[in-house]
Amino acid sequence: MTTDANAPWLIVGLGNPGPEYAMNRHNVGFMVADLLAERIGGKFKRAGKAQAQVIEGRIGPPGPANRRVILAKPMSYMNLSGGPVNALRDFYKVPVANIVAVHDELDIDYGVLRLKLGGGDNGHNGLKSMTKAMGPDYHRVRFGIGRPPGRMQVADFVLKDFASAERKELDYFVDRAADAVECLVIEGLERAQSTYNS
């Protein structure tokens, strides 16, 4: 699937709004979006009618590899993410292939990254909502959070904060995920996969 070199990219960090969710495992997409915002040097602001916060900016070196990006954090709660993302896609005229969802992934060990284009939602409510709104053919940056211990329910696990042992490495892993997003947008999926799919 080719992408239009001049079309903007929409990078969506998935999470739940509100301070009580800020450090949850389910909110790692927001954490990566916040770091990318810092790198761009912008502040998130409310996006018109879309229920989301956005920053517009550019990433990449000057010249043909420089890309226009819209960073977004849906403010609708995870299971309704598709509506705000689709509204932003329409407003900014972003091809679906230029959309990147950054999200937590249960079936991957903590801190491991996997990048891909398209596919199923693997029970992830944010992806389920996005796919329902616009089909599955967008990029995903999957941030491993591992499986819940013992008999803990998945819903309880993803809505808990990262454990103290995990937090020691969290900044490093979030930084690496932000690097992977930038590599995907600037250099393409194959290069990003070969560098960051561990």
Side-chain angles (χ1 to χ4, degrees):
M1 186 178 297
T2 57
T3 55
D4 174 354
N6 297 314
W9 284 76
L10 175 57
I11 300 164
V12 182
L14 292 178
N16 287 307
E20 68 272 33
Y21 298 106
M23 290 306 295
N24 287 183
R25 292 182 178 91
H26 222 17
N27 269 43
V28 76
F30 274 18
M31 296 173 199
V32 175
D34 286 338
L35 179 57
L36 287 165
E38 262 179 55
R39 292 180 180 184
I40 287 173
K43 287 219 182 318
F44 279 103
K45 64 181 191 301
R46 205 70 187 194
K49 292 180 182 170
Q51 213 178 345
Q53 291 185 347
V54 297
I55 293 176
E56 294 179 62
R58 302 193 79 85
I59 59 175
N66 192 260
R67 300 279 182 264
R68 180 176 165 229
V69 297
I70 298 100
L71 285 178
K73 297 194 295 186
M75 293 284 118
S76 57
Y77 291 99
M78 182 70 86
N79 59 349
L80 299 171
S81 301
V85 175
N86 210 24
L88 292 171
R89 175 181 78 101
D90 286 346
F91 182 77
Y92 289 105
K93 300 185 172 36
V94 180
V96 174
N98 279 27
I99 295 173
V100 183
V102 185
H103 64 91
D104 57 309
E105 179 63 65
L106 286 159
D107 287 335
I108 304 176
D109 289 340
Y110 174 60
V112 173
L113 294 176
R114 291 269 190 284
L115 286 79
K116 69 174 191 170
L117 175 64
D121 56 54
N122 205 17
H124 192 287
N125 288 332
L127 297 182
K128 200 175 289 183
S129 179
M130 283 181 62
T131 297
K132 189 175 172 190
M134 58 197 182
D137 299 326
Y138 52 90
H139 288 86
R140 297 102 191 275
V141 174
R142 305 155 73 205
F143 186 111
I145 59 169
R147 280 263 160 205
R151 295 170 180 273
M152 187 187 287
Q153 294 295 311
V154 164
D156 295 333
F157 179 68
V158 299
L159 293 174
K160 276 201 169 7
D161 288 358
F162 283 102
S164 53
E166 292 171 325
R167 281 202 296 271
K168 291 183 180 135
E169 295 179 295
L170 183 59
D171 286 350
Y172 168 76
F173 288 141
V174 167
D175 195 66
R176 193 163 180 272
D179 290 346
V181 171
E182 290 184 344
C183 182
L184 167 62
V185 169
I186 297 163
E187 300 186 60
L189 180 61
E190 280 182 33
R191 171 59 69 90
Q193 284 175 323
S194 67
T195 306
Y196 293 99
N197 276 16
S198 21

